[in-house]
Amino acid sequence: MKRNNQFLVATAAFGLLIASCGTGVKKTPGGIEYIVHKSGSGAQLKLGDTALLNVTQRINDSLLGESRKMVGAAVPVVLQKAQNKYDLMEGIALLHAGDSATFIIPWDSLPAQERPPFGKKGDKLKITFAVEGIYSAAAQREKDEKLITEYLDKNKIKATKNAAGVYVAVNQEGTGATPNPGDTVYVHYTGKLTSGKVFDSSQDSTMRPGMPLEPIKFPIGRGFVIRGWDAGLSGLKKGSKATLVIPSGLAYGLQGSPPVIPGNSILVFDVQLVDIKAGAPEAAAPQFTPPAK
């Protein structure tokens, strides 16, 4: 509690310093008050951008939550056109990459269903956005490729990149067939981050207490798992053991899977394709018959 008080005092002092420098309280075109704490040098946000934001919420000076502590990473927000007077999209659109600003909204001005339940008339909801950056899928793919190459070199893994972009290292090749779309596959696996931290396993009772240690089963190629699994397992023969290194865009992407998998995480899976059961073939597309003239 003492550390929180010190943090709030420091925040208040910082706000006074900004005000004394002449920045003061501004207003968005719609009338939302805001204070800029830091001016970044990046591009201004525009409609359609995915902004990576660290968000802090307060009522008056009482801290409600901080996104980075809750999810461990910046929150992706797609910038859209503001829909009403106190829609913060209007405020976010004024920011640049690297900016930090607090927007101040009277609690009782919000629609009843959007008000924090512990506020009251006269309270101020204060939301701080720190713009960490603007997400670019192309830039992330390039970053992933570099990190994957470094990971493979460091761990002396000889992997081949398949057509979908998954790196596959077959450690023990099976003798059976490869699965077809719709076949049910039975897979043992251990998943980890490139740091080596294991986040899930079908063969470790400490990861799944109380659950049986048995392979996961699902119809391959039908979107029941992350795309990197469908793409990586489809080329393995029954009985194979392999390592799959999956770029973030074929895993959980920008959102991640909090709290164990941060956004934009490259995933590494040690897998064993235990069995394949033939599934029903994919239904043919209906034929169009033109009406008789």
Side-chain angles (χ1 to χ4, degrees):
M1 183 63 71
K2 184 175 180 181
R3 290 182 64 187
N4 286 340
N5 290 338
Q6 290 173 342
F7 174 74
L8 294 174
V9 169
T11 303
F14 184 57
L16 290 173
L17 175 62
I18 290 174
S20 68
C21 292
T23 303
V25 177
K26 301 179 180 181
K27 284 190 177 182
T28 68
I32 302 175
E33 293 185 342
Y34 70 101
I35 299 171
V36 176
H37 304 300
K38 177 185 175 184
S39 295
S41 57
Q44 182 169 357
L45 300 177
K46 61 184 184 298
L47 292 180
D49 280 347
T50 299
L52 303 177
L53 304 177
N54 294 315
V55 186
T56 303
Q57 293 182 307
R58 293 182 175 83
I59 280 190
N60 301 323
D61 291 325
S62 297
L63 182 65
L64 300 180
E66 297 176 81
S67 62
R68 180 160 287 280
K69 289 185 178 179
M70 294 171 67
V71 301
V75 177
V77 175
V78 178
L79 191 59
Q80 303 174 19
K81 186 176 180 180
Q83 300 298 311
N84 52 57
K85 181 177 180 180
Y86 287 105
D87 190 335
L88 285 171
M89 286 292 173
E90 180 188 59
I92 296 172
L94 300 174
L95 302 179
H96 295 70
D99 282 357
S100 175
T102 296
F103 295 85
I104 305 164
I105 301 176
W107 178 87
D108 48 306
S109 68
L110 293 171
Q113 67 272 19
E114 296 180 16
R115 297 173 188 169
F118 27 75
K120 64 184 185 301
K121 186 176 178 63
D123 284 345
K124 297 291 181 71
L125 182 62
K126 300 178 181 180
I127 303 176
T128 300
F129 296 112
V131 186
E132 189 171 292
I134 302 172
Y135 178 74
S136 162
Q140 186 61 46
R141 283 194 296 270
E142 185 177 337
K143 181 179 178 182
D144 282 358
E145 288 296 314
K146 181 176 182 294
L147 292 173
I148 289 173
T149 298
E150 292 173 354
Y151 177 83
L152 295 175
D153 289 345
K154 179 181 177 181
N155 292 277
K156 296 181 173 55
I157 298 173
K158 293 183 179 180
T160 301
K161 182 180 179 181
N162 68 16
V166 177
Y167 287 79
V168 182
V170 178
N171 306 315
Q172 178 181 312
E173 189 162 22
T175 56
T178 59
N180 295 310
D183 286 350
T184 297
V185 292
Y186 295 72
V187 183
H188 267 310
Y189 69 94
T190 296
K192 56 190 174 184
L193 306 177
T194 52
S195 64
K197 181 179 180 181
V198 175
F199 56 80
D200 197 7
S201 177
S202 64
Q203 296 180 293
D204 185 344
S205 60
T206 64
M207 304 298 298
R208 297 186 164 209
M211 297 181 66
L213 297 180
E214 59 187 19
I216 185 174
K217 64 177 181 178
F218 60 93
I220 196 167
R222 297 289 189 259
F224 282 83
V225 292
I226 58 174
R227 288 185 294 160
W229 260 44
D230 275 338
L233 292 167
S234 62
L236 299 181
K237 296 178 180 179
K238 177 181 174 180
S240 292
K241 294 182 178 180
T243 299
L244 309 180
V245 183
I246 302 176
S248 63
L250 298 176
Y252 292 97
L254 180 59
Q255 299 285 351
S257 183
V260 292
I261 302 175
N264 294 324
S265 290
I266 296 164
L267 303 183
V268 181
F269 287 94
D270 292 318
V271 299
Q272 178 184 2
L273 183 51
V274 177
D275 200 2
I276 303 171
K277 299 292 186 183
E282 191 169 10
Q287 297 297 313
F288 172 72
T289 303
K293 293 183 179 180

